[in-house]
Amino acid sequence: MSIDAERLQLPLSRPNVLELAPLYDVLRREAPIAPVTTPAGDPAWLVTRYEEVRLLLGDKRFGRSHPEPEKASRLSSAAVLDGPSGEYETEEADHARMRRLLTPAFSAKRMRMLSDHMGRLVDGYIDALTASPDEVVDLHSGLAYPLPVAMICRLLGVPESDHELFSRLSERMANLTIGEEAHHAREEFMRYMVGLVETKRPQLGEDVISDLIRAQEEDPSFDYEQMVRLCVGLLFAGHETTVNRIGLGTLFLLTERSRWEALVADPDGRVDAVVEEIMRLGAPGDLGLLRYAHEDVEIAGVTIQRGDALVLSINAANRDATVYSDAESFNPDRPERTHLGFGHGAHFCIGASLARTELRVVFAALAKRLPNLRLAKELDQLPLRATLTGGVAELPVTWR
């Protein structure tokens, strides 16, 4: 298929927040790398099949930077993950330094040490929800949102009292409908982070932002703006994505009663598999990960030229029927244990252990403490968020 062929317009409309556009199935089979127009109006390649998505995630010939950034295709009008990031000449070295600095803070061992604290927080949120006199409560504002915020604040060293400010900035920055306003929000977020960095500098603590300030002072190649951008990115991604997964996971479990009852029957035994299936099937946002070709590459019968944009659809890859049996169905007992929910290769999500631990603690606690939990609204009545990561804006539930 040539780049001049008929272009699909992204995003592809989906039936609801749990399902994908049926067209993805056709694309995986017939045009796994297809020419599309992004929501920003630019040309790109949409990659939908598991094999190619996984390959491209780990292929060093593709990156987040662009050889000529001013000519790069944009993904959207949001101000996050919308276009090229980082320096073309130093992307690999900069990324290696970032992983080296952050890996200890986000290690699986450190997350296990934090799980008791998480458990206490989750119990407190559930206590507050059960103490409410209301028949219906919002699990989004009562649990799905505050837990990831509390944990990322603790890890990064951000005052939890700032949560309303940075969550409002995150929401605006990732908004797909407000255009220039999203970019103003990113500038505000950068100014907020500069203020936080300078407040912390005289008395650095044992937290990730303090570690990054120390590293930046010691390494002249790690410039100040890079450090601030990294701090903003960690605070944004560290709460936004997990908030979404808790919401989507709750919907998967509660829209089909047998799924919830199976977890309630054996929370500790089943929660790990449930979390992995939520990470496979939960599809936040309608786009994908943006990459740029750093050289000409021939793949799946398509010639991708240096500078071309690719949208890697993790959502579509995770539902590839050549990889997963009954790929569209939610089945924690499935034999296939792999998924691309946390990416793959050098850019595998550094917060994967944190997200997994949060999801395990949340769903095990809900199953034990609220076995009669159920949705108080139909799936198609739930308000959706107009952001890059999508998801639901509220999650009304009851157990009474």
Side-chain angles (χ1 to χ4, degrees):
M1 187 177 284
S2 83
I3 195 134
D4 299 314
E6 186 70 26
R7 287 181 176 278
L8 292 168
Q9 174 67 54
L10 293 183
L12 306 182
S13 63
R14 56 202 291 186
N16 60 54
V17 74
L18 298 184
E19 295 177 61
L20 295 187
L23 187 54
Y24 278 113
D25 193 35
V26 179
L27 288 170
R28 275 192 301 258
R29 289 195 311 269
E30 298 179 13
I33 301 183
V36 293
T37 300
T38 70
D42 291 338
W45 296 101
L46 176 66
V47 189
T48 50
R49 195 161 60 187
Y50 182 94
E51 182 185 345
E52 284 79 18
V53 171
R54 187 177 187 276
L55 181 72
L56 291 171
L57 282 170
D59 193 324
K60 291 186 175 178
R61 294 173 297 176
F62 299 86
R64 291 175 173 174
S65 65
H66 192 281
E68 298 176 89
E70 65 288 347
K71 294 182 180 175
S73 284
R74 314 290 296 184
L75 184 56
S76 73
S77 60
V80 59
L81 308 175
D82 57 323
S85 60
E87 298 298 320
Y88 179 70
E89 303 298 338
T90 59
E91 178 180 0
E92 226 174 294
D94 293 342
H95 183 252
R97 176 181 54 218
M98 185 269 288
R99 299 293 291 204
R100 192 174 63 249
L101 288 171
L102 296 179
T103 297
F106 288 91
S107 68
K109 182 181 176 186
R110 179 124 186 233
M111 293 312 122
R112 283 194 296 275
M113 288 164 57
L114 283 172
S115 65
D116 286 349
H117 175 63
M118 271 184 222
R120 286 190 295 274
L121 282 177
V122 169
D123 277 335
Y125 299 136
I126 295 175
D127 287 344
L129 289 169
T130 54
S132 167
D134 300 329
E135 278 288 313
V136 172
V137 297
D138 182 11
L139 200 69
H140 175 79
S141 61
L143 172 60
Y145 169 73
L147 176 71
V149 166
M151 293 313 302
I152 201 65
C153 285
R154 183 182 172 112
L155 272 168
L156 297 188
V158 173
E160 214 179 314
S161 54
D162 288 352
H163 77 91
E164 280 188 23
L165 170 64
F166 68 70
S167 117
R168 203 164 52 243
L169 290 173
S170 296
E171 190 87 15
R172 284 168 52 212
M173 199 164 76
N175 194 295
L176 296 167
T177 63
I178 58 176
E180 206 47 46
E181 182 57 30
H183 293 266
H184 294 321
R186 181 170 62 186
E187 288 159 20
E188 281 179 56
F189 210 146
M190 292 285 282
R191 286 197 296 274
Y192 162 75
M193 192 55 73
V194 167
L196 182 58
V197 162
E198 295 313 319
T199 302
K200 292 175 84 68
R201 193 184 292 279
Q203 198 166 4
L204 297 176
E206 293 303 313
D207 57 69
V208 172
I209 292 178
S210 294
D211 292 346
L212 292 174
I213 294 169
R214 291 185 192 99
Q216 195 267 323
E217 286 173 348
E218 292 162 12
D219 181 355
S221 71
F222 185 23
D223 73 41
Y224 186 86
E225 191 184 343
Q226 261 183 315
M227 175 195 64
V228 172
R229 270 204 314 269
L230 179 54
C231 292
V232 168
L234 287 168
L235 184 50
F236 172 82
H239 78 281
E240 177 74 19
T241 49
T242 313
V243 170
N244 256 329
R245 296 291 184 174
I246 295 172
L248 292 170
T250 302
L251 293 176
F252 273 115
L253 290 165
L254 297 185
T255 48
E256 179 67 60
R257 198 70 204 161
S258 61
R259 298 170 184 167
W260 178 247
E261 287 167 356
L263 179 61
V264 166
D266 182 13
D268 293 328
R270 290 188 63 79
V271 74
D272 284 7
V274 164
V275 165
E276 293 311 306
E277 189 68 340
I278 289 167
M279 287 306 305
R280 181 186 76 88
L281 213 55
D286 292 320
L287 297 169
L289 297 179
L290 184 60
R291 294 288 187 271
Y292 296 98
H294 287 182
E295 58 185 79
D296 293 357
V297 180
E298 179 84 25
I299 184 167
V302 170
T303 302
I304 295 164
Q305 295 181 329
R306 182 175 185 264
D308 281 1
L310 298 95
V311 180
L312 309 183
S313 178
I314 303 293
N315 294 348
N318 276 338
R319 295 171 185 232
D320 188 333
T322 65
V323 177
Y324 304 102
S325 49
D326 205 5
E328 295 284 345
S329 67
F330 183 89
N331 175 19
D333 296 322
R334 66 174 51 258
E336 309 91 4
R337 278 279 167 258
T338 57
H339 62 74
L340 299 175
F342 290 115
H344 171 71
H347 287 274
F348 183 81
C349 174
I350 201 149
S353 289
L354 173 61
R356 280 187 166 118
T357 308
E358 288 176 354
L359 292 169
R360 286 168 187 159
V361 169
V362 163
F363 288 112
L366 285 172
K368 289 172 187 175
R369 295 198 51 190
L370 300 174
N372 296 320
L373 190 67
R374 57 192 187 278
L375 287 177
K377 275 187 182 176
E378 294 297 319
L379 189 63
D380 59 6
Q381 295 177 314
L382 298 175
L384 304 182
R385 299 167 70 220
T387 59
L388 196 67
T389 50
V392 291
E394 61 180 57
L395 203 50
V397 295
T398 187
W399 54 88
R400 297 183 164 100

